[in-house]
Amino acid sequence: MATAKEVKLLIRCCRWCRSLRGSQSRAFAALVPGVSQVDNNSDFLGKTPHRKHPGILRLPHVRLPQALADAAQLLLLERPVRNVEKQVQALTNYLWSRHLPVEPEELQRRAADLEKKFLESQDSTQTEEKLRGAVLNALRRTTYHWQKLSYNEELSLIYMAARLDGGFAAVSRAFHEIQARVPEFQPQTLMDFGSGTGSVTWAAHSTWGQSLREYVCVDSSAAMLGLAEKLLKGGSESGKPCIPGVFFRQFLPVSPKVQFDVVVSAFALSELPSKADRVEVVRNLWRKTSHFLVLVENGTKAGHHLLMDARNLVLQEKEKSPLDLQPGFVFAPCPHELPCPQLTASKSLACSFSQPYHPIPFSWNKKPKEETFSVVILARGSPKETNRWPRITQPVLKRPRHVHCHLCCPDGNMQHAVVTARRHGRDLYRCARVSSWGDLLPVIDPPAFPPSPAEEPTES
């Protein structure tokens, strides 16, 4: 009969054998069935702990710079707005639920379909005038009525109270990804299209304040530009700007030779009245980009569709002008230049991400919040210069001894990977377990040949 010491030794041997069979050391790649393999060839971890692996891009709760938060509170106190809390909530709901304007061609198609339907179902002897009236009434009931927002001083203050902190959080998250993945990038110039309250300028200064020397804020609303300038000066008109080198304009720079290291459009493309206007603006913004073009919109289906149109427009531009010597590629969030699998799925979903933040501490606004946004970052150069790791597109589900990850992969497909230490190795399992929504999972494309039966992980 075996002694207690022999039993313990036997258990240790069994565990050691299982670890050899089910998990692999850092020196080898761990296969993820249907997805890819861990990128251990480049020693991506080194001496870094798993909880800080290079695919982690999340930020802790973002907080506005104290000078900006104080200036926003001061401006709202100096000019009290009636029922400000209700107006802030109403504007927030309106902006979130907003759809893109219906194009004239789509309106004509809908009108023709309605006219055909009425002719088939109603008395064909009705006059043309009555038929036209019935079609117009039906269009009014079923068509989204898009209206351009005109920002006066009061509406600008309400927008500041509603969106300054959330917009700052979303843009900070986008800038952080560029900084984390390309730490050597030190921009000197930035242009913000549709600058609004100037949150992009503050976020850029927080990220690259040591190198940025020129910020150009472009907005068609004079009231918004005035408010942004007051925020920079601590809430007054005559104070010293907290950030030097900021310039305000109502129109884009005309000269095609003027380019900026970083060009941003945050929540501005959705304010344009037609697809033709958006195409023209995106082309102009890309021409003025020397390194990165950052586009941010609400994390809704409308925002996602709009960004995918802009992404495809830049990728499809084949013209090589003297000022456009470097082609573009998608830096984030897509690990590919193929059609978005979220849009081609049977049930389309918005590709969105979430960034927690501390709001401006107004009396009604003290609890931490989360900003849900969609983003596309386009870059000049070659995609070979950046990691092509799958993007985690949904919250990671952590379960006992396994992790559910929804991934957008470099082959243009979506994958639902259930990662375990037994089948995929300790490194990949631990990396997946500490990752979160929006991070990159450090895996690479599978090899051209399948693993041999001896090397393939076995199931329990």
Side-chain angles (χ1 to χ4, degrees):
M1 189 171 179
T3 64
K5 190 173 183 179
E6 290 174 334
V7 170
K8 287 183 180 180
L9 182 60
L10 181 62
I11 291 174
R12 285 183 183 177
C13 289
C14 291
R15 287 178 178 173
W16 180 73
C17 291
R18 280 200 299 266
S19 67
L20 286 180
R21 189 177 66 237
S23 61
Q24 301 173 2
S25 67
R26 289 182 184 223
F28 298 96
L31 295 178
V32 187
V35 184
S36 43
Q37 66 186 69
V38 99
D39 183 6
N40 279 337
N41 295 331
S42 58
D43 192 21
F44 74 101
L45 279 173
K47 295 183 179 180
T48 305
H50 294 85
R51 67 180 181 276
K52 295 182 179 180
H53 73 76
I56 290 182
L57 300 167
R58 65 175 177 267
L59 281 172
H61 280 73
V62 172
R63 192 185 298 271
L64 286 180
Q66 193 60 47
L68 178 57
D70 293 343
Q73 290 177 290
L74 178 63
L75 286 171
L76 207 58
L77 285 173
E78 286 182 348
R79 182 172 178 174
V81 179
R82 187 179 179 182
N83 296 325
V84 61
E85 183 177 353
K86 291 184 178 179
Q87 292 198 59
V88 165
Q89 190 60 50
L91 180 61
T92 301
N93 294 340
Y94 175 74
L95 293 174
W96 179 258
S97 61
R98 210 171 188 207
H99 296 277
L100 296 178
V102 180
E103 297 297 318
E105 297 80 7
E106 176 65 14
L107 274 178
Q108 292 177 2
R109 186 191 66 78
R110 293 184 186 181
D113 291 343
L114 287 169
E115 183 177 355
K116 183 179 179 181
K117 181 180 179 181
F118 288 149
L119 287 174
E120 291 175 352
S121 60
Q122 298 181 6
D123 184 5
S124 59
T125 60
Q126 64 181 331
T127 63
E128 184 178 346
E129 184 177 350
K130 287 185 177 180
L131 179 62
R132 187 183 300 112
V135 169
L136 288 176
N137 287 333
L139 279 177
R140 290 191 188 99
R141 291 194 307 270
T142 58
T143 302
Y144 177 75
H145 298 282
W146 187 91
Q147 290 183 335
K148 183 177 177 63
L149 288 173
S150 180
Y151 287 97
N152 54 25
E153 290 187 11
E154 182 172 327
L155 187 56
S156 297
L157 278 173
I158 296 171
Y159 183 88
M160 177 198 73
R163 296 293 305 133
L164 177 62
D165 41 18
F168 177 87
V171 176
S172 295
R173 169 64 178 78
F175 289 165
H176 172 71
E177 173 144 354
I178 298 176
Q179 185 187 49
R181 294 173 57 187
V182 193
E184 66 275 11
F185 176 61
Q186 296 294 318
Q188 295 188 359
T189 58
L190 176 140
M191 185 184 75
D192 179 15
F193 173 78
S195 55
T197 55
S199 58
V200 169
T201 294
W202 289 87
H205 182 73
S206 299
T207 307
W208 298 297
Q210 298 298 321
S211 64
L212 278 170
R213 55 178 176 78
E214 180 183 357
Y215 310 76
V216 177
C217 299
V218 181
D219 199 292
S220 60
S221 170
M224 276 289 195
L225 292 177
L227 178 60
E229 189 169 7
K230 287 181 181 178
L231 287 170
L232 273 176
K233 295 180 179 180
S236 67
E237 295 182 356
S238 57
K240 182 179 180 181
C242 298
I243 302 174
V246 181
F247 304 93
F248 298 94
R249 304 183 56 145
Q250 283 189 278
F251 305 98
L252 285 170
V254 176
S255 174
K257 296 182 180 180
V258 177
Q259 285 192 319
F260 301 85
D261 295 331
V262 181
V263 176
V264 185
S265 172
F267 310 100
L269 294 179
S270 54
E271 295 297 324
L272 298 175
S274 68
K275 184 176 182 179
D277 291 316
R278 293 194 295 274
V279 167
E280 181 181 0
V281 166
V282 170
R283 280 176 174 160
N284 284 334
L285 295 182
W286 179 242
R287 290 191 193 105
K288 297 188 178 305
T289 302
S290 62
H291 288 88
F292 289 99
L293 172 61
V294 181
L295 306 176
V296 182
E297 291 292 337
N298 286 333
T300 60
K301 286 187 178 181
H304 180 217
H305 275 271
L306 188 155
L307 293 183
M308 288 302 99
D309 288 343
R311 166 190 183 271
N312 295 337
L313 176 66
V314 172
L315 293 179
Q316 291 169 4
E317 288 286 311
K318 301 297 183 182
E319 303 173 322
K320 296 283 187 73
S321 69
L323 297 176
D324 192 16
L325 298 175
Q326 285 188 304
F329 69 95
V330 181
F331 180 81
C334 320
H336 56 80
E337 272 81 48
L338 300 169
C340 177
Q342 298 277 55
L343 296 181
T344 57
S346 56
K347 185 179 180 182
S348 62
L349 299 172
C351 181
S352 60
F353 305 96
S354 179
Q355 175 58 51
Y357 67 95
H358 294 284
I360 304 173
F362 295 124
S363 59
W364 71 89
N365 199 30
K366 294 183 178 180
K367 294 183 179 180
K369 295 184 177 181
E370 289 204 8
E371 176 73 8
T372 303
F373 63 97
S374 293
V375 62
V376 165
I377 304 177
L378 299 159
R380 300 278 188 185
S382 169
K384 294 180 181 179
E385 300 171 5
T386 183
N387 292 327
R388 286 299 193 177
W389 292 342
R391 177 81 58 173
I392 301 175
T393 59
Q394 295 182 29
V396 174
L397 302 178
K398 302 174 186 177
R399 298 293 183 262
R401 295 186 295 278
H402 68 280
V403 183
H404 292 260
C405 296
H406 294 266
L407 305 173
C408 181
C409 299
D411 62 0
N413 294 317
M414 300 296 299
Q415 293 285 353
H416 177 190
V418 181
V419 183
T420 68
R422 174 80 180 273
R423 295 188 63 194
H424 307 120
R426 185 189 66 174
D427 286 339
L428 180 57
Y429 171 70
R430 289 189 175 181
C431 287
R433 198 161 187 86
V434 298
S435 298
S436 60
W437 184 13
D439 289 342
L440 297 171
L441 195 62
V443 295
I444 57 174
D445 291 334
F449 53 88
S452 64
E455 296 174 344
E456 188 172 3
T458 57
E459 296 183 337
S460 56

